[in-house]
Amino acid sequence: MNAVAPVALSVRNIHKSFGDHHVLKGISLDAHEGDVISILGASGSGKSTFLRCLNLLEMPDDGTVALAGEALKMKRRRDGKLQPGDRRQVDRVRSQLGMVFQNFNLWSHMTVLQNLIEGPMRVQKRSRAEAVEEAEALLAKVGLADKRGHYPAHLSGGQQQRVAIARALAMHPKVMLFDEPTSALDPELVGEVLRVMRTLADEGRTMLVVTHEMGFAKHVSNRVMFLDQGQVDSDGTPAEVFGELKSERFRQFVSSHQDRNAH
Ligand code: ADP
Ligand code: MG
């Protein structure tokens, strides 16, 4: 952990229920600048809900989120539920938490270049010339300079995901959130996306990565958090969490993944 680096994202005691299903039972996390934190857990353990609570795509029932020291304002309604306290703050903070989804979520009616310049122009009011120049540099960075005029449907899944990463970067995020970025890809396309993510990690970007890629968790991230039924079961460096496999739950999770990877 980069314990000496400033805290980029601070999350305290997040709770979330859907009806009477208590999905997140008090999750806390400090991400320091440059941390790459892999979030592991079985399907249904609350990983996506947790990421969505960080940018208020999902409203937590309780807890706090602060980005670079700025607490997200939430207010409690009379029925006890929280709601955003300041819509403009939410929009701003969302643009600083670049999110990459399993299914890419590119705008299908826009070219690759348009996908990259839309946010910077509309949300950040940057000039078209500046947005295009930066978009071209980002496309070169993810190895897709020649695809700027293509529509997403004409790209492979791995290419679409690299465009989605470039689109997130175009907003100059303080923290990047990835939700199973390689889970929808054919196996032969996983590597090209992981390579781009490794480059970002090496550049010192702060990243929270929900993933089933054990290699990434062990060798690229500097910290691993294992969620089990909405609680943090294990949290530490890869060496700590994988090394002795202290937790029985985590041991079972890892062995089921090895079985799956072998098939
Ligand atoms: P994971 O990403 O770890 O697979 P999720 O965060 O997607 O888990 O889901 C955790 C649990 O919350 C699951 O049981 C899921 O069915 C439930 N859940 C997620 N979103 C909703 C929702 N909008 N309404 C009701 N239940 C939900
Ligand atoms: Mg999920």
Side-chain angles (χ1 to χ4, degrees):
M1 256 167 270
N2 296 318
V4 289
V7 174
L9 180 71
S10 179
V11 187
R12 286 284 167 276
N13 200 30
I14 295 288
H15 283 265
K16 178 69 184 177
S17 296
F18 294 108
D20 55 12
H21 184 186
H22 197 175
V23 171
L24 298 178
K25 301 168 183 159
I27 311 277
S28 299
L29 168 81
D30 271 340
H32 293 258
E33 285 179 11
D35 273 348
V36 178
I37 303 178
S38 288
I39 301 174
L40 309 180
S43 175
S45 57
K47 306 178 298 296
S48 296
T49 303
F50 176 64
L51 284 193
R52 292 166 60 81
C53 281
L54 302 182
N55 51 19
L56 305 189
L57 284 176
E58 205 72 76
M59 275 315 285
D61 298 329
D62 213 344
T64 60
V65 178
L67 183 64
E70 179 184 355
L72 277 177
K73 294 182 185 138
M74 298 186 231
K75 58 185 178 203
R76 203 168 285 283
R77 304 188 314 211
R78 277 212 243 151
D79 64 4
K81 299 248 183 226
L82 288 176
Q83 67 178 44
D86 178 350
R87 275 279 160 207
R88 290 175 56 187
Q89 184 197 38
V90 172
D91 290 343
R92 185 162 43 77
V93 166
R94 267 187 202 159
S95 79
Q96 294 170 344
L97 285 170
M99 186 134 184
V100 176
F101 300 90
Q102 184 172 342
N103 292 308
F104 328 132
N105 291 18
L106 295 173
W107 294 301
S108 60
H109 62 292
M110 292 185 188
T111 65
V112 164
L113 187 76
Q114 287 167 335
N115 265 277
L116 264 69
I117 65 176
E118 178 73 10
M121 286 171 56
R122 288 263 177 117
V123 179
Q124 297 179 331
K125 311 293 182 205
R126 284 149 65 190
S127 76
R128 183 183 174 85
E130 184 195 323
V132 168
E133 186 181 336
E134 185 172 354
E136 286 174 341
L138 287 169
L139 288 174
K141 181 187 178 83
V142 301
L144 294 171
D146 57 334
K147 303 292 188 208
R148 54 174 278 167
H150 286 56
Y151 285 89
H154 295 146
L155 302 178
S156 73
Q159 291 170 335
Q160 289 186 58
Q161 194 59 299
R162 285 185 282 148
V163 172
I165 293 170
R167 180 178 64 174
L169 290 170
M171 298 294 280
H172 302 167
K174 290 190 169 130
V175 176
M176 305 263 298
L177 308 176
F178 294 82
D179 193 357
E180 298 200 33
T182 60
S183 294
L185 298 175
D186 292 334
E188 71 272 20
L189 303 179
V190 168
E192 64 192 59
V193 172
L194 290 179
R195 270 194 295 281
V196 168
M197 292 171 61
R198 180 187 271 268
T199 306
L200 302 181
D202 290 345
E203 288 172 356
R205 290 184 184 274
T206 313
M207 300 158 63
L208 265 53
V209 184
V210 171
T211 186
H212 292 286
E213 294 292 333
M214 294 298 153
F216 184 92
K218 274 187 199 167
H219 303 300
V220 181
S221 49
N222 64 333
R223 181 163 160 207
V224 175
M225 185 168 105
F226 173 60
L227 291 187
D228 181 54
Q229 298 181 17
Q231 287 179 307
V232 178
D233 176 273
S234 311
D235 184 358
T237 65
E240 286 164 351
V241 174
F242 282 98
E244 303 171 34
L245 287 176
K246 282 196 208 92
S247 148
E248 178 59 30
R249 291 282 193 177
F250 189 58
R251 207 192 321 257
Q252 286 166 5
F253 175 80
V254 170
S255 80
S256 74
H257 271 267
Q258 279 160 352
D259 293 347
R260 187 153 44 170
N261 290 343
H263 289 151

